[in-house]
Amino acid sequence: MVLSLAMNAQTITGQWETYDDKTNEKKAVIEIYQTDDLYFAKIVEKFVGEKNATCESCEGTKKNQPIIGLVIIEDIKKEGDEFSGGTILDPESGKIYKCYLELVEDNKLKVRGYLGFSVFGRTQYWVRKQ
């Protein structure tokens, strides 16, 4: 058991809880998974708004897709302690941003979405689901 917890703490894969920036209300559970050398994330549980909501603001193949199961992070690569090079989708606005992820504590993930330079963006902290 201790070994599996230690191994789990070293990776970003698994389920993460997200919280509203202003109210600190739990918003969703996101599952980060790895395919080959890339990382992706999808919404697996939603706590705010209509449970059967779709991504009306999304474009392309994601337009009107259910929020539950929607892949919101794509093509992230591990580079040292940082995971970057991919994108993150804001399902509320339909906007896509560049993204990087960083494990700042065993159970705390820094998620940064930005346009252009990472200095112009927004950071959230996700908590590993226990």
Side-chain angles (χ1 to χ4, degrees):
M1 181 68 170
V2 174
L3 179 60
S4 68
L5 286 175
M7 287 176 62
N8 192 35
Q10 300 298 317
T11 180
I12 64 167
T13 58
Q15 293 192 346
W16 297 87
E17 296 175 340
T18 68
Y19 294 86
D20 184 275
D21 295 339
K22 296 180 179 95
T23 66
N24 208 30
E25 178 182 17
K26 188 190 302 186
K27 289 181 76 173
V29 174
I30 311 295
E31 182 176 344
I32 299 177
Y33 58 96
Q34 185 176 355
T35 303
D36 297 321
D37 292 336
L38 298 175
Y39 293 84
F40 300 84
K42 65 182 175 184
I43 300 172
V44 294
E45 206 171 344
K46 183 175 178 302
F47 300 100
V48 177
E50 197 176 311
K51 297 290 182 203
N52 297 323
T54 60
C55 194
E56 296 173 12
S57 301
C58 291
E59 296 181 0
T61 59
K62 293 186 180 183
K63 182 158 185 70
N64 296 321
Q65 292 297 311
I67 299 291
I68 305 274
L70 190 67
V71 176
I72 60 166
I73 293 180
E74 297 183 80
D75 301 324
I76 297 286
K77 295 179 194 130
K78 184 173 185 344
E79 298 174 16
D81 290 336
E82 193 176 280
F83 297 80
S84 61
T87 59
I88 186 167
L89 165 70
D90 177 353
E92 292 177 17
S93 68
K95 294 188 176 176
I96 297 173
Y97 302 93
K98 291 180 182 177
C99 175
Y100 76 81
L101 311 172
E102 182 182 356
L103 199 58
V104 292
E105 294 174 15
D106 288 347
N107 295 314
K108 188 175 182 181
L109 184 68
K110 178 181 180 179
V111 180
R112 180 93 177 140
Y114 60 95
L115 290 171
F117 301 99
S118 68
V119 99
F120 301 109
R122 186 171 130 212
T123 299
Q124 283 190 329
Y125 291 92
W126 295 358
V127 178
R128 191 181 300 276
K129 186 175 179 186
Q130 300 298 318

